[in-house]
Every structure is written in C-alpha cells, then in structure tokens.
Amino acid sequence: MAAAGLRGLGCALCGVGVHARRGFAGHSKWHNIRHRKGAQDALRARVFAKLGAELAAASRACGGEMSNMRLQAAVARARQSNMPKDTLEGAIKRGASGSGGDGELVRYEGYGPGSVAVIVEALTDNRHRTGPAIRHLLSKHGGSLQSEGSVSWMFERCGRVEVPLRAENGEVDREDLFNAALEAGASDITFPEEEQEAEGEEDSHAASVVCEATSLAEVRDTLTASGFPPTLCELVWQPKSEDNFVSPMGEDSEKFSDLLAALEDNEDVQQVHHNASVPE
C-alpha cells in the first residue's frame, strides 16, 4: 500500500519516481538472479566435491574394480546428481592410482532435537577436525554427540535401490515391479503417495526397494534384467521397526530440519541417517 502511494506521488510530481523505481527494480532483479545462480553453483560444487571424494576413496580401497559394491554405489549417486562424466571418471582414476582418495570413513552417532537418533557417515583425512565439528553442529541445534553404538542398535544396515516409475514407453506397471522386487529378494518396497506425485515432489516418481545389505548387488542385477533398472543403489541405516521411529513436533521439528541442512553442508559428511518420521 505504501509503495503504491509513493509511486503515484512520484508520477504526479514529475514522472521521475516511476522511472527511478523501474531502474532499481531491474538492478535488484539482476542482482537476485546472479545471487541465486551463485548459490546454486556453490551448492553444486560442494555436492560434486563430496561425491568426488567418495568416488576416489572407494576406488582406492578396491583398486578401481568396478564390481565393488561401494564403488558402484558411489557411481550411482554421482550420476543421479548429474556429475559430468569426465569428473566422475577422473575421481575413479585418482583413487585407483593412489593419488587421491586417502580419506577415512568414520561413523558418528548421537541425538538431535526431539530425541531423534542420528547416524552421520563422514569421509575425513582428519578426525580431530571432523569429530569436533559434528559435535558442535549437534549441540548447536539441540542435540548431542554420543559414543559408538549408542543409537545404531535401533538401526539395521540395508541395501536400497530406487526404480523410476516413468519409462520412455510410459508409466511402469507397479504390480509387475512389486513382483519383480519380491522375486529379486527385496524385503520391502515403497511407492510414493498420490499426493506426492500430484505435488511433483523430487522423489515422487520412484519406488524405493529395500533388501539385505549383502543382497544389494543381486537385487539390483535382477531388477535390471527384469526391465526395471535402478537409478540409485546404496547402503543405508534404517530403523529396525516402527517402534524405533519418533516424530519431532513444533520447534523440535524446525530445529531438526536446520540440523540436517547444517550436517549436509559440512564438507566431510557423506550421508545422514535418522529415525524421524514426518506426521501426516
């Protein structure tokens, strides 16, 4: 209301007000576009740096052998994030040659706000840097770092693949996918809710297939042979039962979202697992 009044006053007096404001609006719009693009580019660079570090470390650990499950999972994550092929292959070569990928995989356990159990997997070349950083982030957002085993007993190590529900020739038959997943040895398969698909959420067009960690490669290969090639293949920590889930509410929910964002922004953190469920 006030802005409209000022524009009208400027125009009535000499016509300068409107033109001046248009000029500043254009400048502001260009500034905002550059700012958003800069932020997106910075985020993309951080994501690629993390993925590159994991690719190199996984490649170094297995000598670049592509049949290695950890390396395959790293490659799948990199491709899902649209990492350029040259960057991806370069990271694998550095690791295989021993010129990169000297980071150490470390697991941190603790609690976030609302008593949410959190497992943080990091890749670091300096525990004395990463450990205190994780402790600080947990404390800052209402949580605490705990000793190893303090929360992992509530989780189990599982394999997980994502299968797109849209193919070149149309929608995937969900019943066929369900049966193929069962035959492949999956222990669970989850399809997105109709509300998610209608709202176009990022993961709303993929089914999540969970299996035993040791069966991940077999499940992936069987699904691929059945005509349902996964786009993501990874090892995760999943709560053992429904009783192990908690629902942070109100302020705790906001704090937990902030904690996840802060952890994901840390250069050493590779994956964050938790037992928080979002209430319907």
Side-chain angles (χ1 to χ4, degrees):
M1 228 16 205
L6 287 173
R7 285 196 295 272
L9 178 61
C11 182
L13 292 176
C14 61
V16 173
V18 173
H19 294 296
R21 287 181 179 275
R22 282 179 180 168
F24 280 113
H27 170 77
S28 177
K29 181 179 180 181
W30 170 239
H31 173 76
N32 289 337
I33 290 174
R34 286 190 300 172
H35 177 74
R36 286 196 300 270
K37 185 178 186 304
Q40 291 170 352
D41 289 346
L43 176 60
R44 182 183 176 90
R46 286 199 300 273
V47 170
F48 285 174
K50 287 188 179 187
L51 292 171
E54 170 58 11
L55 283 165
S59 179
R60 181 172 182 145
C62 68
E65 180 53 59
M66 290 305 300
S67 62
N68 178 266
M69 196 67 248
R70 178 186 171 188
L71 181 54
Q72 290 180 1
V75 169
R77 290 177 62 198
R79 286 176 175 166
Q80 189 183 52
S81 297
N82 296 317
M83 174 181 275
K85 182 179 179 181
D86 291 346
T87 305
L88 188 156
E89 293 178 348
I92 294 175
K93 289 178 181 177
R94 286 197 305 276
S97 66
S99 60
D102 55 349
E104 174 187 11
L105 276 177
V106 185
R107 189 176 81 224
Y108 298 96
E109 302 181 26
Y111 287 98
S115 299
V116 175
V118 179
I119 296 178
V120 179
E121 292 183 313
L123 183 63
T124 179
D125 58 359
N126 187 345
R127 283 176 176 249
H128 298 296
R129 178 192 68 238
T130 307
I134 301 301
R135 181 187 298 276
H136 170 72
L137 290 176
L138 285 169
S139 298
K140 180 180 179 181
H141 294 88
S144 62
L145 184 66
Q146 302 291 320
S147 59
E148 186 174 346
S150 60
V151 304
S152 57
W153 63 270
M154 291 184 279
F155 297 77
E156 58 184 343
R157 195 63 162 162
C158 299
R160 188 178 79 89
V161 301
E162 282 188 2
V163 179
L165 295 176
R166 289 180 177 174
E168 293 182 358
N169 57 348
E171 294 286 328
V172 167
D173 188 297
R174 299 192 180 199
E175 185 174 352
D176 288 347
L177 173 56
F178 181 82
N179 291 331
L182 288 182
E183 292 179 8
S187 57
D188 188 27
I189 179 169
T190 304
F191 293 98
E193 300 290 340
E194 292 182 1
E195 292 79 2
Q196 288 179 298
E197 294 184 287
E199 294 173 4
E201 293 185 16
E202 183 178 350
D203 59 350
S204 63
H205 302 302
S208 177
V209 180
V210 177
C211 63
E212 293 184 3
T214 55
S215 303
L216 182 56
E218 181 181 353
V219 169
R220 178 206 58 203
D221 293 344
T222 302
L223 285 173
T224 300
S226 300
F228 304 105
T231 53
L232 180 66
C233 181
E234 62 183 355
L235 292 169
V236 298
W237 289 95
Q238 180 169 289
K240 291 180 178 177
S241 70
E242 292 294 327
D243 295 335
N244 294 129
F245 281 94
V246 298
S247 298
M249 305 296 289
E251 185 178 348
D252 284 337
S253 179
E254 294 181 10
K255 286 183 177 180
F256 182 64
S257 294
D258 291 341
L259 171 62
L260 287 181
L263 287 171
E264 291 172 0
D265 198 42
N266 181 277
E267 63 179 349
D268 295 329
V269 173
Q270 289 290 320
Q271 287 185 292
V272 180
H273 314 272
H274 57 80
N275 66 340
S277 61
V278 180
E280 299 293 337

